[in-house]
Amino acid sequence: MTNDLASRPDTATATHRRATPALIALALGAFAVGTTEVVIAGLLPEVAADFGTSLPVAGLLVSGYALGMVVGAPLLAVLGNRMPRKRMLLALVVLFTVASLLSALAPGYAALMVGRVGSALAGGAFVGVAAAVAAALVGPQRRASAIATVFMGLSLANVLGVPASTALGQALGWRAAFVAITAIGVVVWFALALLVPAVRVPGGDLRAELAVFRRGRVWISLAATAFGWAPFLTVLTYVTPLLTDITGFDARTVPLVLVVVGVGMVIGTPVAGRLADRALLPTLYGTLGGFALASAALLVLVHSKPGALLGFLIFGAVGAAVIPPLQAKVLETARGADNLASASNVSAFNIGNGGGPMLAGAALSAGAGSTAPLWIAALLALVGLGCAALVR
């Protein structure tokens, strides 16, 4: 097997068949990362009770993970810049698995925080490298679809991984969830070792990759990612008061709505990947504009239970649909620095994860009302669309 599968003179069909098992293995890794990122939110009361801390202190485990993702993706991409991509992926999975095991066995809060940050460092870098490898596994005409396949793992984590791990943690103790994630990490390592070929990703010279970031278009593309993705957690972070105060749902039905969002994500991700391969810019503009419209539509739809379910299904589908074109656009504008650009875009996604909810929280604290996250989300998506339009 050659070092660059995408450079072979095979037909597109043959290349697709060779790449599919590898893409599934990469998606499984993203599934593990997505599961461990969110699962702690549903287990915070158990963690706080076990370690004798308050719920807000336990909540820092979520913030610590987000910070680790922001810092870890570009940092480890730089440190491992000269390492072959497959070896880099395997090393990151080892770090992720060891950190997950530390989380499962943590004797105290500090050890659990170390495990969470370690998982985030490895997970953020893994998703960035995996996206770059996925793009290199296929021809230029299928880059966005390949990236979408990897990010499908994150979507499935919301539908399957997080609910299953949360249920396991609630039934057998929160540590059981991290034991399960550790086991998934072992499976991912063997899947990558067996199914992912050695590929050559454009870039590799750190000085040359850093020089690419002198282009203003690269930074605007990253800003489009941060703003364009920010609406997702801006809304979902405060979905419980929205659904209970405005829609009239019982708090126990909120997980059902989150599953509906996850189903929408599973629908939207592959569709956007295929569309972006055919027409990147129209797909990028359409998904970002659609995200703004979906957020704004919820202002009306949340006033009825059927409307809310439909609205959140669409919200999940359009939200996930922004991911493949945003990632593909950054790789296009930062051509020649695929490794560092892909990792930096993972950081941009997580900056959006942190910044959007902070804005919504400030609005709620100022008395803006439970629907404030919705109009803030719509405005953020429009800013992302504006940034994307500037790049062209």
Side-chain angles (χ1 to χ4, degrees):
M1 191 167 288
T2 63
N3 283 337
D4 191 352
L5 192 77
S7 67
R8 287 185 159 199
D10 296 343
T11 65
T13 300
T15 301
H16 173 67
R17 288 173 180 170
R18 295 174 189 275
T20 297
L23 293 174
I24 292 173
L26 294 170
L28 180 60
F31 174 84
V33 173
T35 299
T36 197
E37 178 178 9
V38 182
V39 70
I40 190 68
L43 300 173
L44 285 180
E46 290 84 354
V47 172
D50 194 11
F51 292 141
T53 63
S54 66
L55 199 59
V57 171
L60 293 176
L61 294 166
V62 178
S63 303
Y65 190 97
L67 180 61
M69 290 279 282
V70 170
V71 174
L75 176 62
L76 292 184
V78 168
L79 293 177
N81 193 63
R82 294 188 177 276
M83 186 181 295
R85 295 299 87 185
K86 179 173 181 177
R87 189 182 303 171
M88 180 70 169
L89 287 170
L90 293 173
L92 289 170
V93 172
V94 169
L95 175 57
F96 175 85
T97 305
V98 170
S100 298
L101 182 60
L102 174 59
S103 297
L105 302 177
Y109 177 85
L112 179 56
M113 178 64 83
V114 170
R116 291 286 295 164
V117 172
S119 295
L121 289 171
F126 177 90
V127 173
V129 174
V133 168
L137 281 168
V138 299
Q141 73 282 359
R142 292 193 63 248
R143 283 165 61 98
S145 291
I147 292 169
T149 300
V150 174
F151 280 94
M152 177 66 80
L154 297 177
S155 298
L156 288 172
N158 285 278
V159 179
L160 301 174
V162 173
S165 298
T166 301
L168 181 66
Q170 291 173 342
L172 302 179
W174 65 267
R175 296 177 188 273
F178 290 99
V179 171
I181 293 169
T182 301
I184 295 173
V186 173
V187 173
V188 169
W189 192 93
F190 281 103
L192 294 173
L194 293 173
L195 300 176
V196 176
V199 294
R200 182 163 47 87
V201 174
D205 182 278
L206 181 57
R207 185 173 297 179
E209 291 209 18
L210 289 173
V212 170
F213 281 78
R214 295 174 185 167
R215 305 172 190 166
R217 296 173 70 248
V218 174
W219 291 103
I220 298 173
S221 293
L222 293 172
T225 295
F227 283 107
W229 175 246
F232 193 76
L233 278 190
T234 299
V235 173
L236 293 190
T237 298
Y238 299 101
V239 70
T240 298
L242 181 68
L243 292 174
T244 55
D245 297 347
I246 305 299
T247 312
F249 276 118
D250 186 277
R252 291 172 295 181
T253 64
V254 172
L256 172 62
V257 177
L258 295 179
V259 170
V260 169
V261 173
V263 171
M265 294 178 71
V266 172
I267 295 169
T269 303
V271 172
R274 288 192 292 271
L275 291 175
D277 281 330
R278 296 176 183 175
L280 178 57
L281 285 180
T283 303
L284 180 60
Y285 299 155
T287 54
L288 288 172
F291 209 8
L293 289 174
S295 301
L298 279 171
L299 286 165
V300 176
L301 294 173
V302 293
H303 290 279
S304 76
K305 292 179 180 179
L309 291 174
L310 175 62
F312 276 105
L313 178 68
I314 296 171
F315 181 83
V318 181
V322 305
I323 298 174
L326 284 171
Q327 186 80 14
K329 187 58 181 175
V330 167
L331 289 176
E332 181 186 271
T333 56
R335 187 163 294 161
D338 287 30
N339 295 303
L340 189 54
S342 185
S344 297
N345 207 40
V346 171
S347 293
F349 278 117
N350 281 280
I351 289 172
N353 281 342
M358 285 180 61
L359 287 174
L364 291 172
S365 297
S370 297
T371 59
L374 299 178
W375 58 261
I376 290 173
L379 291 175
L380 288 170
L382 289 175
V383 174
L385 176 59
C387 291
L390 289 175
V391 178
R392 290 194 65 83

